[in-house]
Amino acid sequence: MSTAKKVVLGFSGGLDTTYCVKYLSEDKGYEIHSVIVNTGGFSAAELQQIEAHAYKLGVKSHTTVDAVKPYYDRIIKYLVYGNVLKNNTYPLSVSAERLMQALHIAEHAKNLKADAVAHGSTGAGNDQVRFDMIFHIMIPGVEIITPIRDMKLSREVEIEYLKSKGVDMNFEKAAYSINKGLWGTSVGGRETLNSKEWLPESAWPTQVTETGTRTLELGFDKGQLTSVDGQLFAHPVDAINHLHGIAAPYGVGRDIHVGDTIIGIKGRVGFEAAAPMIIIKAHHLLEKHVLTKNQLSWKDQLSLFYGNWLHEGQIMDPVMRNIEAFFESTQHNVTGKVFVQLQPYHFQVTGIESAYDLMSSKFGKYGEMNTGFTGDDVRGFSKIFGNQTVIWHKVNEE
């Protein structure tokens, strides 16, 4: 019976996690159980290649978790309900999926009764906090091992070590770091390391191949995207992927996000998120038609907190369940069609149709005619509505 320490390693197949397998198994003598959590960024062929790579490196077991639909159900759904854009720009493409990955890695470690859990994060970014914090909450007492962070390893040192171990893999680092998932793809490179430059056309994962104008009809049912151009989908994930296939070749949903990291430094990252940006803008327009002024106002305030707290890894805070319950309760009437116009590098949400539309001609036309009350009603209301402010001015003038 093996007495080696059993370690569950979050494994992507990249340089850092490849180093972790070799170092922890051969230098430290640990029994490594690798796990990859797919949140929409990997094809079946890529997942098979990663599994083969893990076993070739010497892992005891490798597990692939298909978390795409649970990722939507547990996190993405609420980012849509809240119209969440970090700093009014970023749809939390990477930060949200890291949380889902951490939760599943913790669950895997619990099931295997692992002695320790490991990840390949460096000491410079947000991911180390997200992983560590969720592990502390989900699997308290289980040791967290982070070789890259602890030994402050450079890429060059890792490559030299792996070559000495006879590891055969592509060590050539692409000019741009790409992280693809269901809710968008991040793009980092030379230009995002400073405050001025924009990413070149060639850096974007999806090149612009569409020309002209196309109109889309998006169908929402209680806040969730369920159809595109009349085609119904069994799950919103399928609708998101279908919409991405249509919209991404127009070059829409591209931007560079400037944000505050959990550890207190600012950073820039490019992202390509055609479907998420269109869905959020379309959903928001539908809400503006079917929700009341105060529903919209409170949603805005809670969405800002929810997005920031999620970005900082706090998905397990019970206040998040409270806010999600509020979001859910606001979506009953967010049902209808939203019309979107696509053009190269640009999209426009042009209008909606909904049985719950509060902008109804039965009650009047804005700026023209009102049928719900008279001019005398407004005259009296205006006096009452401004009464306290009138009193304040009179008191202060005296």
Side-chain angles (χ1 to χ4, degrees):
M1 184 175 177
S2 174
T3 57
K5 183 180 287 188
K6 186 187 292 185
V7 179
V8 165
L9 169 68
F11 186 74
S12 67
L15 178 66
D16 294 333
T17 55
T18 296
Y19 178 92
C20 288
V21 173
K22 277 297 184 187
Y23 173 75
L24 295 175
S25 62
E26 297 189 9
D27 291 17
K28 304 298 285 185
Y30 297 161
E31 180 183 293
I32 306 301
H33 297 266
S34 56
V35 56
I36 184 168
V37 182
N38 180 23
T39 49
F42 299 96
S43 67
E46 287 169 334
L47 291 170
Q48 289 172 357
Q49 289 169 1
I50 290 167
E51 180 176 341
H53 180 53
Y55 280 116
K56 191 174 180 181
L57 291 170
V59 301
K60 179 77 171 178
S61 74
H62 178 81
T63 302
T64 299
V65 178
D66 180 0
V68 182
K69 288 180 180 175
Y71 174 39
Y72 173 87
D73 293 335
R74 186 160 184 180
I75 299 178
I76 299 303
K77 177 173 71 172
Y78 298 108
L79 297 182
V80 176
Y81 288 173
N83 308 308
V84 173
L85 291 174
K86 174 74 173 167
N87 290 13
N88 294 316
T89 305
Y90 178 52
L92 298 184
S93 306
V94 176
S95 44
E97 68 182 44
R98 289 290 181 267
L99 301 180
M100 197 66 193
Q101 290 160 355
L103 289 167
H104 279 283
I105 293 167
E107 194 65 35
H108 192 59
K110 190 185 297 183
N111 293 338
L112 288 182
K113 296 181 170 59
D115 301 297
V117 62
H119 59 88
S121 299
T122 69
N126 290 320
D127 289 344
Q128 57 179 328
V129 178
R130 295 173 182 136
F131 281 116
D132 282 10
M133 187 161 51
I134 285 179
F135 294 158
H136 285 309
I137 296 166
M138 293 286 292
I139 43 177
V142 174
E143 182 186 359
I144 301 171
I145 302 172
T146 55
I148 312 301
R149 174 175 65 183
D150 296 344
M151 296 189 287
K152 301 178 181 177
L153 297 173
S154 69
R155 181 178 178 82
E156 290 70 30
V157 168
E158 291 178 61
I159 291 172
E160 185 179 334
Y161 172 86
L162 290 173
K163 284 182 176 177
S164 76
K165 293 287 188 179
V167 174
D168 179 26
M169 63 182 288
N170 181 11
F171 293 115
E172 294 300 317
K173 183 173 174 65
Y176 295 92
S177 173
I178 307 291
N179 188 94
K180 182 182 178 184
L182 174 68
W183 208 234
T185 301
S186 67
V187 187
R190 178 182 61 80
E191 293 82 3
T192 59
L193 297 176
N194 63 72
S195 301
K196 180 181 178 183
E197 294 184 71
W198 188 259
L199 288 165
E201 190 67 26
S202 59
W204 299 103
T206 307
Q207 296 295 291
V208 178
T209 55
E210 293 289 352
T211 59
T213 301
R214 175 169 177 172
T215 299
L216 294 175
E217 177 194 291
L218 305 184
F220 286 86
D221 182 23
K222 292 183 170 60
Q224 300 192 69
L225 181 68
T226 54
S227 70
V228 179
D229 288 339
Q231 181 180 347
L232 286 167
F233 295 92
H235 192 279
V237 162
D238 303 319
I240 292 167
N241 287 328
H242 181 78
L243 176 59
H244 178 77
I246 295 171
Y250 281 91
V252 300
R254 295 174 172 182
D255 208 339
I256 292 182
H257 167 58
V258 181
D260 297 290
T261 63
I262 302 168
I263 56 176
I265 59 176
K266 287 189 183 288
R268 289 177 92 219
V269 65
F271 66 89
E272 173 185 286
M277 293 303 294
I278 290 171
I279 291 167
I280 287 172
K281 294 298 184 183
H283 176 268
H284 192 203
L285 179 62
L286 183 57
E287 282 195 326
K288 288 193 284 187
H289 277 266
V290 303
L291 299 184
T292 66
K293 176 176 70 175
N294 287 323
Q295 284 179 304
L296 290 167
S297 175
W298 279 106
K299 278 191 79 265
D300 284 347
Q301 294 176 61
L302 289 173
S303 296
L304 179 62
F305 174 86
Y306 186 87
N308 288 338
W309 212 220
L310 188 82
H311 173 74
E312 297 191 353
Q314 294 282 5
I315 190 172
M316 301 302 289
D317 189 328
V319 75
M320 301 296 270
R321 307 293 83 77
N322 303 139
I323 296 172
E324 288 162 3
F326 173 79
F327 283 166
E328 193 95 46
S329 73
T330 65
Q331 297 301 296
H332 180 77
N333 289 356
V334 188
T335 296
K337 298 174 183 178
V338 184
F339 303 96
V340 179
Q341 194 174 81
L342 294 175
Q343 293 174 327
Y345 305 104
H346 176 74
F347 75 90
Q348 185 70 46
V349 185
T350 58
I352 70 110
E353 286 181 359
S354 173
Y356 301 100
D357 190 355
L358 299 179
M359 187 178 161
S360 171
S361 59
K362 289 187 294 185
F363 305 105
K365 295 180 180 179
Y366 181 70
E368 295 183 19
M369 182 66 68
N370 179 72
T371 57
F373 46 80
T374 67
D376 286 339
D377 293 332
V378 176
R379 197 187 305 276
F381 169 75
S382 300
K383 283 187 176 181
I384 296 169
F385 193 52
N387 189 41
Q388 190 167 75
T389 306
V390 168
I391 293 170
W392 185 93
H393 280 278
K394 284 184 177 178
V395 168
N396 280 276
E397 284 167 7
E398 292 172 1

